[in-house]
């Protein structure tokens, strides 16, 4: 297999050539958290702009489909499924996304963009009530498929400052 390069012959950054890769089922899950006061949470159902959770869900799905337009070196990936959920918790809104494809490259960026845009949408729809709303912990939770194997975020992958300290990778299963 030819070496995949991030630079063209003139030394400029370029998209990775994924043409030698075989299409496989690839799935990625991401999450984000929108921290807000109880007063804002209580006001969610009466939002003048509409239901922030449903609008955020739709915005996340739409964003996943446009990831390559937002991130310069990202491939356009034919998505086979996008799911976004926004659930009210005690101190905010938990956003989750799950994106699938049958392709030559993964969908981690699509899942992260979906969760991020859904969180930004909640913020946008609630900012009139409180500018102190915070978007926290936009993270890749899980990915499957592809040459690099599977990844699952674990509780021990967080350091005390909330940054990732280590990752749990597993090799893809190989038939013998």
């Amino acid at each position: 297999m030819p070496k995949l390069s991030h630079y063209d012959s003139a030394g400029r950054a370029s998209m990775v050539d994924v043409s030698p890769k075989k299409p496989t089922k690839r799935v990625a899950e991401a999450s984000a958290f929108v921290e807000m006061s109880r007063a804002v949470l209580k006001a969610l159902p009466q939002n003048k702009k509409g239901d922030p959770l449903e609008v955020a869900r739709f915005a996340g799905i739409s964003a996943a489909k446009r990831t390559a337009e937002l991130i310069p070196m990202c491939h356009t990936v034919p998505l086979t499924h996008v799911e976004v959920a926004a659930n009210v918790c005690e101190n905010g809104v938990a956003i989750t996304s799950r994106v699938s494809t049958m392709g030559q490259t993964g969908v981690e960026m699509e899942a992260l963009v979906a969760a991020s845009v859904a969180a930004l949408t909640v913020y946008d729809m609630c900012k009139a009530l409180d500018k102190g709303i915070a978007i926290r912990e936009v993270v890749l939770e899980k990915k499957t498929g592809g040459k690099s194997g599977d990844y699952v975020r674990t509780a021990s992958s967080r350091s005390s400052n909330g940054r990732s300290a280590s990752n749990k990778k597993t090799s893809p299963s190989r038939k013998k």
Side-chain angles (χ1 to χ4, degrees):
M1 179 187 322
K3 183 179 180 212
L4 301 179
S5 175
H6 299 284
Y7 299 94
D8 66 14
S9 59
R12 296 178 299 243
S14 64
M15 288 178 70
V16 173
D17 181 4
V18 297
S19 60
K21 292 182 171 185
K22 292 182 180 175
T24 60
K25 177 152 176 112
R26 298 161 188 263
V27 179
E29 298 176 15
S31 65
F33 189 76
V34 185
E35 183 180 57
M36 60 182 66
S37 70
R38 290 180 194 241
V40 175
L41 283 169
K42 189 176 179 182
L44 286 177
Q46 294 83 33
N47 192 295
K48 293 177 184 177
K49 293 182 177 183
D51 179 355
L53 304 181
E54 185 59 20
V55 175
R57 193 181 73 76
F58 184 78
I61 292 168
S62 297
K65 295 166 51 177
R66 301 185 78 165
T67 299
E69 294 174 33
L70 301 169
I71 301 174
M73 300 299 175
C74 212
H75 290 86
T76 302
V77 179
L79 304 180
T80 57
H81 183 74
V82 179
E83 180 181 329
V84 176
N87 296 298
V88 174
C89 299
E90 183 177 324
N91 58 344
V93 176
I95 310 277
T96 58
S97 66
R98 179 180 170 90
V99 180
S100 304
T101 190
M102 187 68 178
Q104 294 168 287
T105 190
V107 287
E108 296 93 343
M109 295 311 300
E110 287 74 7
L112 287 162
V113 166
S116 298
V117 169
L120 288 165
T121 301
V122 171
Y123 180 93
D124 178 57
M125 294 188 71
C126 299
K127 68 185 180 214
L129 299 172
D130 182 5
K131 302 275 190 280
I133 295 168
I135 297 171
R136 304 208 186 282
E137 300 177 27
V138 178
V139 296
L140 178 67
E141 296 288 350
K142 180 179 178 183
K143 82 119 189 135
T144 60
K147 183 179 175 185
S148 68
D150 297 345
Y151 166 86
V152 177
R153 183 174 189 78
T154 63
S156 64
S157 68
R158 297 194 142 296
S159 67
S160 60
N161 66 1
R163 301 277 181 199
S164 179
S166 65
N167 298 329
K168 180 180 178 183
K169 283 177 86 172
T170 57
S171 297
S173 59
R174 299 187 192 274
K175 293 181 181 177
K176 295 187 179 187

